[in-house]
Amino acid sequence: MAYASNHKASNSVIFHEGSESTVGTALASDGTYNRLNVESFNIPIRSHGYSVSAPKSGLFTTTTDQSKHDGFGQTYSIDAQYKLTALSATRACASVLESASATATLSSGYTFPQANYVHGAGSAKTQTIALDMAGPGATNDTMVYTGCVGTGMTITGDVGTDGGELKCAVNYMTGYAPVAGNYAFDGTINNEAGSAYNVRDNIIAHTDVLGQDVRLTSFELSISRPIEKIGFQDASTHNFDGWGYAMTGPFEVTGSVNVMFDTSVELFIANLHNSTAGTITFGSGTSAGDYKITLANCLTGEVSVDNGGPALMATIPFTCNGASDLTGSTAFVTFDFS
């Protein structure tokens, strides 16, 4: 036997993502894919853990008939970090907020659309992720992940990191085993275009915390939801692909801001103690190419002051909640990446 000669150069892998027509059916090679400006991602492959039965009386060893591979609850996670642009923001919202829009929102009255997350459903809210040149084979050189669901996204911006570019990390989960395929990507490719949004472009008129203009140096916003795989299909295939997904808890919207510790912080410090919710806004304007994030009903946590630099800085953690009145669909997270 001889060594294989088709080793994979890590910097040759290209990340593609697209919406499925049917839950669990991979978007075809000639489908519409988004080629996003991804900086990092992992490559899960099909594998299963195993479980072991109770030991036999009188033996001090574990025998082979006690062990069995266990894929019944197997899921696979893909964590990808993008430069935040209008396209990558839209696709992140498609996965996590179920809205493929540059102006997506999260409303107090959100309900999980169970029918869109059942195997074979033609009203899919799931995505296919295809990693070109990540497959182990010479021909099957694409790793394909079907039925992917966004379980969380984190947007960050820091004036001192990567020139201030905004980043978006998205967490995907699938209950379907990954496969290696032969993909030509000969359909429609939506390529990333334009520069990433930049926190250095933030302007006072569109950046404030609890009604106060602040000198912002960094922020982080995380939106997450618990998704579980439900059931499994034919065990004889040893894939144990799921029957569907369920959302088992509420959305959590949390984050933090890092601002100069000055009079602006002093002015809203009373609201750090009286449970009065306020609005936090990040943005660079309202023209094409600008961005804006509005977070309503924010409560702040314990503030810390850093004296390690040339000026005192305050880090303010916050939680963003839905409105108490659930009779409407009031948005408490609003994006505008248009």
Side-chain angles (χ1 to χ4, degrees):
M1 297 182 68
Y3 288 119
S5 60
N6 63 321
H7 68 277
K8 307 294 181 179
S10 58
N11 60 347
S12 297
V13 180
I14 302 176
F15 187 100
H16 299 80
E17 176 266 1
S19 296
E20 294 178 348
S21 298
T22 304
V23 176
T25 298
L27 185 59
S29 175
D30 59 355
T32 299
Y33 278 95
N34 303 289
R35 185 174 292 173
L36 303 175
N37 199 342
V38 176
E39 294 184 324
S40 64
F41 53 87
N42 62 312
I43 306 174
I45 62 173
R46 177 182 149 182
S47 59
H48 298 307
Y50 65 90
S51 55
V52 181
S53 67
K56 299 177 181 178
S57 176
L59 291 181
F60 291 90
T61 59
T62 299
T63 57
T64 55
D65 60 340
Q66 291 178 245
S67 302
K68 195 78 170 178
H69 276 110
D70 182 5
F72 299 113
Q74 179 76 49
T75 60
Y76 300 86
S77 297
I78 302 173
D79 301 318
Q81 178 169 291
Y82 312 116
K83 292 178 181 290
L84 189 65
T85 65
L87 178 59
S88 60
T90 298
R91 296 312 303 166
C93 290
S95 297
V96 180
L97 302 184
E98 298 160 0
S99 175
S101 171
T103 56
T105 62
L106 178 59
S107 299
S108 303
Y110 168 86
T111 56
F112 183 67
Q114 187 74 46
N116 301 114
Y117 288 98
V118 177
H119 176 72
S123 54
K125 293 284 189 179
T126 53
Q127 281 73 40
T128 291
I129 293 175
L131 305 181
D132 191 25
M133 297 303 295
T139 300
N140 294 325
D141 58 1
T142 303
M143 288 301 299
V144 183
Y145 306 87
T146 62
C148 294
V149 183
T151 60
M153 58 188 288
T154 300
I155 297 175
T156 57
D158 190 325
V159 296
T161 303
D162 288 331
E165 285 183 337
L166 295 188
K167 311 291 183 180
C168 181
V170 181
N171 311 113
Y172 303 93
M173 183 270 284
T174 179
Y176 296 83
V179 297
N182 179 16
Y183 268 41
F185 295 103
D186 50 0
T188 299
I189 300 293
N190 296 321
N191 289 299
E192 195 77 82
S195 302
Y197 297 110
N198 199 301
V199 71
R200 296 186 182 187
D201 294 330
N202 281 21
I203 57 176
I204 292 176
H206 294 275
T207 302
D208 65 74
V209 176
L210 304 182
Q212 299 297 321
D213 296 329
V214 293
R215 291 179 173 88
L216 178 76
T217 59
S218 66
F219 76 90
E220 177 178 302
L221 170 65
S222 295
I223 303 174
S224 63
R225 58 177 180 165
I227 301 290
E228 299 288 343
K229 169 185 172 181
I230 301 299
F232 63 94
Q233 298 181 49
D234 188 2
S236 66
T237 65
H238 305 293
N239 286 335
F240 301 102
D241 290 338
W243 278 116
Y245 302 102
M247 187 169 166
T248 57
F251 271 100
E252 290 189 1
V253 183
T254 59
S256 65
V257 293
N258 193 55
V259 302
M260 189 169 291
F261 190 55
D262 56 16
T263 303
S264 296
V265 177
E266 182 184 34
L267 290 175
F268 66 67
I269 204 166
N271 287 337
L272 306 183
H273 310 287
N274 63 10
S275 300
T276 299
T279 299
I280 296 176
T281 304
F282 310 111
S284 57
T286 57
S287 301
D290 295 332
Y291 83 97
K292 188 174 183 179
I293 301 172
T294 304
L295 308 170
N297 311 320
C298 293
L299 287 176
T300 56
E302 296 184 15
V303 178
S304 59
V305 178
D306 179 16
N307 64 351
L312 296 182
M313 302 298 295
T315 299
I316 307 166
F318 63 83
T319 298
C320 183
N321 302 296
S324 299
D325 183 3
L326 300 182
T327 58
S329 297
T330 305
F332 62 100
V333 176
T334 303
F335 292 130
D336 187 349
F337 297 108
S338 59

